[in-house]
């Protein structure tokens, strides 16, 4: 099939390359010239395992192209819209400027029978409003939320755990069938394919992220209770996680969630619920947000405690800058936030990360960045793990670290280290919600 993908950010670039890899003819369109130039040259504009390969093979096959010219969308059977919906500057709501601009630009190029598939995360009700603008062209607007995780984006796009397509009353069945053809490889594997109305599809996306955020904050709230009662939250998570109704995943207590999705999505959800007169229904999301942010304070507090009450003029090495491993994304990164707070308290902060240094430096040039892990640890009075890359969690030998560092204080902001091994190597170990 011929597809256009409007917006070549995280979602769009991966979607375009992934769709080409399963045999479609794809044009990726973005207003950002440098992004288009980079993609056209076969350079993934961000770190995402597997993207580079499918980008190169797509370009080589001739089935994948990128342009800044929206007219290139003309002739595609399906137009995916995957532009960003960031938090507005002066509130919690989602900024729909880019979605509206993409639809405006696309309208003159639509043909009767085309399908416009929205993928951006939007407040419920957005799709119905957009459908009114698309309908006069004879095209059909559907909503096809994206559930990819950074670090697993290629796999999640080609082989998702479910596909959701919200369709309008008129022409919905035909449009859903077209989307089945687009996702033919996943459909052949009997991936659940749910056809809903537009509002449900929009809501599925924010409900999923709200649930995940709530699960993380739940375990972090238990960590807070563990801290005042002497319990161990990791054992608690293991124990409750054995109940299949609860499950162990996303019960990792630590410095909490960040990134370009969960934080802004729960806030946009609260803002939308308020507009709909139902703010009380998701009032708990404010608590989820507050618990999450408190954990960053706690991590900082542990470093202060470990260094005897002050970090002023102490060398603190921060392991990790990305909001999670396998990503170079530092948007709302709890890791970077902890580093900035320590710097604000007068610590000499050195940060290392296998992928995110460049992005982190752009955002916080005042901090000291060191590429090489061991070099970053050398001379540290304390180290704090904030992004659980294998390089730090599994591959960093505590005895080796002890030879490099000056002090023996380690704060495990992700509960990813082997506490017993670090203690045995002479370190004073502090976990999150652990005695
Ligand atoms: C999240 C969702 O998981 C995806 O399903 C969704 O498609 C995506 O947002 C989106 O809306 O685009 P992502 O932001 O890539 O994906 O990251 P997650 O893997 O969800 O992690 C989010 C944050 O939670 C990270 O900072 C991570 O360190 C933290 N986390 C995760 C915990 O603190 N504890 C856990 O147990 C799990």
């Amino acid at each position: 099939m011929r597809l256009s993908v409007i917006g070549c950010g995280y979602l769009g670039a991966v979607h375009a390359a992934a769709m080409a890899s399963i045999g479609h003819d794809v044009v990726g369109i973005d207003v950002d010239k440098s992004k288009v130039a980079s993609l056209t040259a076969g350079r993934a504009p961000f770190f995402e395992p597997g993207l580079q390969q499918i980008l190169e093979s797509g370009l080589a096959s001739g089935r994948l192209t990128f342009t800044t010219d929206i007219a290139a969308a003309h002739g595609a059977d399906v137009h995916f819209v995957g532009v960003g919906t960031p938090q507005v500057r002066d509130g919690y709501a989602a900024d729909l400027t880019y979605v509206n601009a993409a639809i405006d630009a696309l309208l003159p190029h639509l043909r009767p029978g085309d399908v416009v598939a929205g993928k951006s995360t939007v407040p419920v009700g957005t799709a119905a409003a957009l459908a009114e603008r698309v309908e006069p062209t004879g095209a059909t607007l559907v909503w096809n939320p994206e559930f990819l995780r950074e670090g697993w984006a290629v796999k999640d796009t080609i082989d998702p755990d479910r596909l959701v397509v919200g369709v309008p009353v008129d022409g919905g069945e035909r449009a859903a069938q077209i989307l089945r053809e687009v996702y033919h490889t996943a459909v052949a594997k009997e991936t659940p394919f749910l056809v809903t109305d537009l509002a449900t599809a929009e809501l599925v996306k924010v409900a999923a992220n709200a649930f995940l955020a709530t699960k993380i904050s739940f375990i972090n709230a238990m960590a807070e209770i563990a801290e005042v009662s002497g319990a161990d939250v990791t054992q608690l998570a293991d124990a409750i996680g054995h109940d299949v109704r609860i499950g162990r995943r996303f019960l990792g207590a630590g410095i909490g969630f960040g990134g370009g999705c969960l934080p802004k999505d729960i806030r946009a959800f609260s803002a939308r619920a308020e507009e709909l007169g139902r703010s009380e229904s998701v009032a708990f999301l404010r608590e989820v947000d507050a618990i999450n942010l408190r954990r960053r304070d706690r991590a900082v507090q542990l470093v202060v405690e470990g260094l005897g009450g002050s970090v002023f003029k102490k060398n603190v090495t921060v392991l990790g800058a990305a909001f999670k491993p396998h990503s170079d994304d530092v948007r709302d990164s709890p890791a970077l936030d902890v580093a900035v707070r320590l710097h604000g308290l007068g610590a000499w902060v050195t940060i290392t990360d296998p992928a995110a240094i460049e992005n982190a430096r752009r955002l916080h040039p005042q901090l000291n960045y060191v590429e090489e892990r061991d070099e970053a640890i050398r001379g540290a009075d304390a180290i704090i793990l904030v992004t659980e890359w294998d390089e730090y969690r599994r591959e960093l030998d505590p005895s080796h670290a002890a030879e490099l560092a000056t002090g023996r204080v380690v704060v495990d902001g992700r509960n990813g280290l082997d506490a017993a091994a670090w203690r045995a190597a002479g370190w004073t170990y502090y976990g999150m919600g652990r005695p």
Side-chain angles (χ1 to χ4, degrees), residues 32-122:
D32 183 338
K33 283 193 189 114
S34 67
K35 204 176 280 174
V36 167
S38 161
L39 288 162
T40 303
R43 281 192 313 271
F46 45 83
F47 175 89
E48 181 61 44
L51 175 59
Q52 186 62 39
Q53 291 89 315
I54 57 167
L55 180 62
E56 282 171 21
S57 57
L59 291 167
S61 72
R63 285 198 309 273
L64 179 63
T65 54
F66 294 94
T67 176
T68 53
D69 183 10
I70 188 74
H74 187 84
D77 306 299
V78 182
H79 309 271
F80 288 100
V81 177
V83 294
T85 52
Q87 188 176 328
V88 293
R89 285 187 184 278
D90 55 352
Y92 269 9
D95 182 352
L96 295 175
T97 310
Y98 305 109
V99 174
N100 285 319
I103 295 289
D104 284 341
L106 184 60
L107 283 177
H109 306 289
L110 293 175
R111 304 165 306 168
D114 283 5
V115 173
V116 178
K119 290 197 85 62
S120 306
T121 301
V122 292

Side-chain angles (χ1 to χ4, degrees), residues 302-339:
L302 287 175
V303 180
V304 172
E305 209 179 297
L307 288 173
S310 169
V311 295
F312 190 68
K313 291 189 176 177
K314 295 282 173 63
N315 287 303
V316 180
T317 296
V318 177
L319 300 176
F323 84 108
K324 69 171 191 182
H326 313 290
S327 170
D328 65 358
D329 200 341
V330 295
R331 285 177 294 170
D332 205 344
S333 167
L336 205 48
D337 193 18
V338 165

Side-chain angles (χ1 to χ4, degrees), residues 160-172:
D161 53 14
R162 81 287 209 189
L163 287 155
V164 177
V165 183
V167 301
V169 181
D170 291 332

Side-chain angles (χ1 to χ4, degrees), residues 121 146-150 205 209 212 216 249-252 256-259 261-262 265 323-324 334 388 414:
T121 301
E146 180 56 61
F147 304 104
L148 68 80
R149 298 159 297 169
E150 292 188 17
K205 169 68 194 188
N209 276 1
L212 293 171
I216 298 168
R249 294 175 76 184
F250 271 67
L251 286 183
F257 61 80
C261 302
L262 301 192
D265 286 355
F323 84 108
K324 69 171 191 182
E388 67 276 38
R414 293 292 184 181

Side-chain angles (χ1 to χ4, degrees), residues 118-135:
K119 290 197 85 62
S120 306
T121 301
V122 292
V124 59
T126 305
L130 296 177
E132 282 183 24
R133 289 159 59 197
V134 167
E135 256 165 37

Side-chain angles (χ1 to χ4, degrees), residues 41 131 136 160 180 213 247 326 397 416:
R180 275 193 194 89
H326 313 290
D397 175 42

Side-chain angles (χ1 to χ4, degrees), residues 171-406:
E173 235 166 77
R174 175 182 169 274
Q177 189 49 37
I178 290 174
L179 271 266
R180 275 193 194 89
E181 287 164 30
V182 170
Y183 296 116
H184 63 105
T185 50
V187 168
K189 287 173 92 175
E190 292 184 16
T191 303
F193 191 101
L194 289 92
V195 180
T196 68
D197 53 41
L198 292 171
T200 305
E202 292 168 303
L203 213 45
V204 166
K205 169 68 194 188
V206 281
N209 276 1
F211 191 88
L212 293 171
T214 303
K215 202 170 175 190
I216 298 168
S217 278
F218 175 83
I219 202 64
N220 279 329
M222 295 306 106
E224 292 185 333
I225 302 296
E227 277 154 11
V228 291
S229 60
D232 185 330
V233 76
T234 57
Q235 290 184 336
L236 180 143
D238 290 343
I240 64 171
H242 281 300
D243 183 332
V244 290
R245 294 169 303 174
I246 296 173
R248 180 63 172 84
R249 294 175 76 184
F250 271 67
L251 286 183
I255 58 167
F257 61 80
C261 302
L262 301 192
K264 72 136 173 107
D265 286 355
I266 60 169
R267 291 172 192 160
F269 197 5
S270 296
R272 184 63 182 140
E274 196 175 327
E275 284 168 12
L276 294 169
R278 274 281 173 268
S279 54
E280 65 274 28
S281 304
V282 292
F284 66 92
L285 290 178
R286 264 177 254 146
E287 228 29 74
V288 165
D289 206 355
I291 294 165
N292 191 53
L293 296 174
R294 280 205 297 270
R295 299 316 284 164
R296 303 177 184 187
D297 298 335
R298 172 66 182 165
V300 171
Q301 191 193 344
L302 287 175
V303 180
V304 172
E305 209 179 297
L307 288 173
S310 169
V311 295
F312 190 68
K313 291 189 176 177
K314 295 282 173 63
N315 287 303
V316 180
T317 296
V318 177
L319 300 176
F323 84 108
K324 69 171 191 182
H326 313 290
S327 170
D328 65 358
D329 200 341
V330 295
R331 285 177 294 170
D332 205 344
S333 167
L336 205 48
D337 193 18
V338 165
V340 169
R341 288 177 196 215
L342 287 165
H343 174 82
L345 293 174
W348 289 315
V349 174
T350 298
I351 309 184
T352 187
D353 188 288
I357 287 185
E358 227 175 281
N359 286 342
R361 198 199 308 269
R362 213 169 298 135
L363 217 57
H364 293 291
Q366 76 278 24
L367 303 173
N368 180 35
Y369 298 92
V370 171
E371 296 266 342
E372 222 261 315
R373 183 197 68 190
D374 287 5
E375 213 37 59
I377 295 173
R378 198 179 300 282
D381 295 305
I383 61 181
I384 175 166
L385 173 94
V386 279
T387 313
E388 67 276 38
W389 289 95
D390 278 347
E391 283 86 338
Y392 314 138
R393 196 169 65 104
R394 289 181 199 276
E395 293 157 20
L396 178 58
D397 175 42
S399 307
H400 176 63
E403 282 164 20
L404 298 167
T406 308

